[in-house]
Amino acid sequence: MRKCPIVLIACLGLSVLVGSALSAYGANAIGFGVGVPAALPVDWDASFTFAMSEILAESNLSFLFTFGTYPADFPELYEGNASLLAKAWSGPIVLYAGGGFSLQWRLVGTAWLWTPFMNVKTGVQLWILDSLAFFAQVRSLDPLPAVWSFNPEFSLGTTISFGAARPANPCLDGGYLWLIIGLWVLAFIAYYPRN
């Protein structure tokens, strides 16, 4: 029972090492965050605590891997995510959007039950230094096969980069900003209630 978390933490560390070797852009990041369902009052029992590894393929594209747990269900429930994110820079601020796949595994008796999900996320990062950022994001998990139910979760966290993650010259990525807006519109259409 204790082997699974150790193996998963080792996989997260391995993704940092592999990302460092394969990244063409030259910067990779690790971080952590806490997410809660987007409702008041805050339901801390449903919170999701995670560690992450971000492989910055280029300044406008990154691969994000997260591993975490729901503290109320620890050590019986874990979750891993793999996402592809498009980013639009405006000076030290980054808007991002993307998605990917998530996998939750829950201990049921003596066996692990695996449940696949599709994840959609969007957020903003503020790079206060070349290698330090704070982020806020909204994500939604949808069980596979997708039923397109929107279950927003709001997260806050921090990211530390190995190398300079933000561009040297302040810039405004107009083309990528329109891509992010297009992804928002597609998500709105996909999750719009059809009742």
Side-chain angles (χ1 to χ4, degrees):
M1 182 167 122
R2 297 287 181 210
K3 289 182 185 177
C4 189
I6 294 169
V7 169
L8 293 171
I9 290 170
C11 289
L12 186 63
L14 184 62
S15 71
V16 171
L17 294 175
V18 170
S20 298
L22 297 178
S23 176
Y25 182 59
N28 297 295
I30 59 171
F32 65 91
V34 175
V36 295
L40 291 175
V42 174
D43 183 8
W44 290 109
D45 288 337
S47 68
F48 176 61
T49 304
F50 59 94
M52 63 183 216
S53 172
E54 186 174 5
I55 300 171
L56 303 164
E58 61 176 37
S59 65
N60 298 103
L61 182 69
S62 67
F63 300 95
L64 181 67
F65 301 97
T66 63
F67 171 72
T69 187
Y70 295 82
D73 295 315
F74 182 78
E76 283 85 27
L77 178 63
Y78 298 96
E79 181 180 310
N81 304 294
S83 303
L84 178 64
L85 302 177
K87 296 183 169 188
W89 289 86
S90 177
I93 298 173
V94 180
L95 292 176
Y96 63 88
F101 295 100
S102 300
L103 189 63
Q104 288 184 352
W105 49 100
R106 177 184 298 274
L107 185 62
V108 179
T110 59
W112 290 95
L113 174 67
W114 300 78
T115 309
F117 290 87
M118 173 184 71
N119 70 58
V120 176
K121 58 183 68 178
T122 187
V124 62
Q125 287 178 321
L126 173 62
W127 288 90
I128 58 173
L129 299 173
D130 284 346
S131 59
L132 177 66
F134 295 106
F135 69 86
Q137 77 175 12
V138 175
R139 76 168 189 158
S140 180
L141 290 178
D142 198 13
L144 290 175
V147 294
W148 301 103
S149 61
F150 187 59
N151 305 302
E153 176 186 284
F154 180 72
S155 302
L156 292 173
T158 188
T159 303
I160 299 170
S161 154
F162 302 112
R166 67 180 178 185
N169 299 322
C171 60
L172 176 61
D173 291 332
Y176 284 95
L177 182 59
W178 283 111
L179 174 66
I180 301 297
I181 292 170
L183 290 171
W184 289 343
V185 170
L186 286 175
F188 177 77
I189 291 169
Y191 287 106
Y192 187 76
R194 290 169 175 79
N195 296 337

